[in-house]
Amino acid sequence: AKTYLRHLCEESLAKKYPAADKEVFDRLDFELQIIGQMGYDCYFLIVWDFIEYCRRNKILVGPGRGSAAGSIVAYLLGITNIDPLRYSLLFERFLNPERVSMPDIDTDFDDDGRGRVLNWVTEKYGQEKVAHIITYGTMATKLAIKDVARVQKLPLSESDRLCKAIPDRLPSGKKMNLPNAIEDVPELQEAETSSNPLLRDTIRYARMLEGNVRNTGVHACGTIICRDDITDWVPVSTADDKETGEKMLVTQYEGSVIEDTGLIKMDFLGLNTLSIIKDAIETVKQTHGVEIDIDNIPIDDQKTYELYCAGRTVGTFQFESNGMQKYLRELHPTVFEDLIAMNALYRPGPMDYIPSFIARKNGREEIKYDIDCMEKYLKDTYGITVYQEQVMQIVRDLAGYSYGRSDLVRRAMAKKKHKIMAQEREYFIHGKLNEDGSIDVPGCVRNGVPEDVANQIYDEMISFASYAFNKSHAAAYGVVTMQTAWLKKHHPVP
């Protein structure tokens, strides 16, 4: 598998990197070494195999999604369609050798093609080796009351009254559950101690049943492909396939624990936008006799950017809301990096930085860097930290972290793990020694950064990391955005 994986990558090098330099070869060697070391050669080959099937059978595949777009191996295999080196996408955001984690390559297909590729995978590897993943629906607070009230034959008006008394958020700030809701809501306290046995027992039984499994379902896209029979590893049940009506295997372990068994989950997702693109390509072919290679449209097409600058993006992927159109007219995007950044910024939290991003892009606000060397990482976003990868690069460049360790710091910041963040602050500023006295992390001070500046940078990273977005995902979906805009500009409806 290792040999064949390298062969496929090297075979694709001349096409994807006609002027390949040392950086390309070093990155490829590094990724293949990590993939082999972690035992995922076959995983990449399986994904490559079903994507090749799609290309042979005119099933439209997305350019990638999630952190997998940061892998040059995935790019060379055609699993993703965006150059990770050109857009500074990091492999360690996808696979971290210092934190053994399962790879997660999510793949988008056009709606019709998704079912076809799943059927092909099942036929190729065997029905007994392929399974979908179960989901468990549990009784939430209001649902527990409604279910118990129905069985208890409590009048519907009383059931509705109890449910309406439960707020969306508890005044005390505690976790939402029935015991905490009873503590905070006098109306529920009265029901719990009511002289009416139906009312009292409804609350009592609802407390007992809340959080229990109520029903099962099938994960919308998660699929397991196993080298052995699935039943050798996990218990299975069956469910009806909604599309075909046939019985299919379903693991009885849900997605959050399935990887603990050693099985890898693969996500086969249907993306309606790909179906729209596919139909548009076919329509252009039938009406104009023009064959469009949508995967190779010019990403720097100026006519398409004119459409963005005018805010005429209705029908384009993820860019058609009124708010996004307004910001695009103000921004006047001129390069693909602007679209990637807007994709990442236009969401709750980072949206507050869009006005500053626009002002800096158009020269109305000064672009500042705490240290000159940070410019190479923040230049494309005009000095604003937008991506998780930027946090990782800054930590690595200033304090000498490995990319693997920098991803651990990024995770701690994003999840607000205060104990780890406090410890890493010390390492970031002053460095860390190994037990034998050798340098593990040099730290900013040892690398010539003043301590007060290092503290300031760390504080800024903490504030940005809580909302910073995965650049690999933003870039990959930016390609889909560009494809829809290019079709709209060059092949509009007459």
Side-chain angles (χ1 to χ4, degrees), residues 31 63 143-144 181 202 211 241 316 376 413 444 481:
E31 288 194 18
L143 186 60
T202 295
D241 189 322
T316 64
K376 62 182 175 182
M413 289 179 173
C444 289
T481 300

Side-chain angles (χ1 to χ4, degrees), residues 89-101:
L89 309 181
L90 302 182
F91 176 71
E92 289 82 357
R93 179 63 185 81
F94 167 58
L95 263 189
N96 187 346
E98 295 181 39
R99 177 185 179 274
V100 179
S101 58

Side-chain angles (χ1 to χ4, degrees), residues 328-368:
L328 288 172
R329 285 192 293 268
E330 295 173 5
L331 176 66
H332 284 274
T334 53
V335 290
F336 187 58
E337 284 81 357
D338 290 342
L339 303 183
I340 299 174
M342 287 303 293
N343 206 348
L345 285 168
Y346 194 76
R347 57 196 74 246
M351 193 180 287
D352 295 339
Y353 289 87
I354 292 179
S356 181
F357 180 84
I358 292 172
R360 294 184 181 200
K361 157 79 174 177
N362 293 300
R364 297 193 305 271
E365 184 179 308
E366 185 184 358
I367 300 173
K368 297 179 181 178

Side-chain angles (χ1 to χ4, degrees), residues 395 399 401 424-430 443-444 454 457-458 461:
V395 166
Y401 279 60
E424 291 297 337
R425 178 190 289 273
E426 176 63 23
Y427 298 160
F428 177 76
I429 295 168
H430 297 292
C444 289
I457 292 170
Y458 196 81
M461 284 195 301

Side-chain angles (χ1 to χ4, degrees), residues 95-122:
L95 263 189
N96 187 346
E98 295 181 39
R99 177 185 179 274
V100 179
S101 58
M102 296 285 191
D104 186 16
I105 301 177
D106 301 337
T107 313
D108 290 316
F109 305 93
D110 67 73
D111 290 330
D112 295 333
R114 179 179 177 273
R116 289 165 59 196
V117 72
L118 277 171
N119 290 337
W120 180 81
V121 164
T122 304

